[in-house]
Every structure is written in structure tokens, then in C-alpha cells.
Amino acid sequence: NTLSGASAILMADLPFAILFLGVIFVVAPAIAWVLLVLLPLFVFIAWRSAAVMSGANAEERETSQSRDSLIAEMIAGRTTIKALALDQAMRPQWEEKHAENIERAVTRGGKADTFSNLGATLTTLTTICMTSIGAIAIIDQRLTMGGLIATNMLSGRLIGPLNQLVSQWPTYSSFKQAVERLGNFFDETSERQESDVKLEK
């Protein structure tokens, strides 16, 4: 999922975003500087979302593993639990771990929505600034109406990939964490090199 789909489209669109920025400077240099001011904000939000979401994902994963590990232990010792009537004693522990996992998931979802809304707000702010400053440039006869319309259309194609970057950057961060965890797992020494069980062909 990380290397295909939306990520692949984003990688294809980013070079065109640079091309569209160059075209905007040719068509409407009077308002192109607005994009130069706001584009670093998109990149900052994308970078910040990766850092924040990485921590939130790690916390949710830890609570999920803790809960699943308790479930595995309860299933493995189900006979003992039933024999000693420990089900009522174990249930609050599972409920506490499950509630903590849900709380972490809600927190992570809230942070993801916050950054998504920040990207949408910045997109709207970019359109408002470009239209307002473009209208003043038209009054001053430094820009034509067609130039403003063309710039708004091109800026949409420019801002689209940057909005995708905000949503996809945390995905790349999660992908990196998963690769590191798998690497640590495969680097561990094997408990045995050869199987004790021999099977005939």
C-alpha cells in the first residue's frame, strides 16, 4: 500500500507541481509570490504530521500488543481460569487494556483529522489570498482576468499533491517503522538451525 496506489500517484504528480509553479510565474508573476509563501507551510505540516502520527501510532500499537498478549495468555490458560473461577478476576484486566487501546486509537484518529483539516484550511486560505491579491493586481492593471483564472486553476493542480503529501507522509513513517521492526526480528539469532523433525519425501 505504501509503494502503490495514492503514493505512486503522488510521486508522479510532484514533478508536475514544480512545472505548474513555473507556469504560474510566467502567467501571473504579480501573485505567484503568494504560493512561495504558503507552500513551505504545506511541507511543514506534512513533516510535523509524520512526527506526531509516528508517536501516536507507536502508542496505539503498544496498547494493542499488550491487550492481545493478555488474550493469548487467557486462552492458553483457559482450563486453569475456569477451574479456579478466575474469570471475574481476569475480566477487569482485559477491559482496562481494551479501553486503553480504544482511547489511544481515538487520540490517534483525532490527531490525523487535525492535520487533515489543517491542510484543507491552508488550501482554502491559499485560494482566498490568491483571489484577493489577484483582484487588487487586476485593479492596478498588473494582471488580467484570464491570468487570475488560469492561476487559480493551476494552483489547484499544484496544491492537490501537497495536500496528498500531508496525508501520505505519516504512511511513509509507518512503513519505515515496520521495516525497522522486521529488520530487528530477522537479526535475532535463531533458536535452532536444523529441524528435529524428519519427513520422508
Side-chain angles (χ1 to χ4, degrees), residues 3-197:
L3 301 176
S4 61
S7 299
I9 295 172
L10 175 61
M11 295 305 293
D13 281 347
L14 279 177
F16 287 101
I18 299 171
L19 174 65
F20 290 141
L21 183 60
V23 172
I24 289 173
F25 265 97
V26 173
V27 173
I31 58 174
W33 62 269
V34 176
L35 289 173
L36 286 182
V37 171
L38 293 174
L39 289 184
L41 291 177
F42 278 101
V43 177
F44 174 75
I45 289 174
W47 170 78
R48 188 63 190 148
S49 69
V52 172
M53 294 306 299
S54 173
N57 286 333
E59 289 178 358
E60 182 185 2
R61 185 174 60 252
E62 286 177 6
T63 57
S64 176
Q65 289 173 347
S66 175
R67 179 200 61 190
D68 294 345
S69 136
L70 178 63
I71 291 174
E73 291 173 3
M74 290 170 66
I75 292 173
R78 62 190 180 278
T79 307
T80 305
I81 291 174
K82 289 299 287 183
L84 299 177
L86 296 174
D87 49 330
Q88 294 301 319
M90 298 297 293
R91 181 172 179 173
Q93 295 183 34
W94 180 85
E95 288 178 346
E96 181 182 350
K97 289 183 179 295
H98 189 53
E100 186 180 3
N101 178 247
I102 291 173
E103 184 180 350
R104 292 287 185 274
V106 170
T107 302
R108 193 247 325 139
K111 290 178 179 178
D113 290 342
T114 298
F115 285 107
S116 177
N117 291 333
L118 274 176
T121 302
L122 199 54
T123 301
T124 306
L125 181 64
T126 304
T127 304
I128 291 171
C129 288
M130 288 186 63
T131 306
S132 302
I133 296 172
I136 295 172
I138 290 172
I139 293 172
D140 294 340
Q141 296 185 351
R142 291 183 292 114
L143 182 67
T144 63
M145 184 75 73
L148 178 59
I149 294 171
T151 303
N152 272 326
M153 292 172 63
L154 289 171
S155 67
R157 297 300 303 271
L158 173 65
I159 293 172
L162 294 174
N163 253 333
Q164 284 184 330
L165 189 64
V166 172
S167 61
Q168 288 298 318
W169 204 318
T171 304
Y172 288 122
S173 178
S174 298
F175 172 71
K176 183 181 177 183
Q177 287 180 354
V179 169
E180 288 176 355
R181 288 198 305 274
L182 280 174
N184 292 335
F185 175 74
F186 286 122
D187 284 341
E188 291 182 0
T189 54
S190 299
E191 294 181 0
R192 57 169 64 102
Q193 298 297 326
E194 295 181 4
S195 173
D196 292 334
V197 179

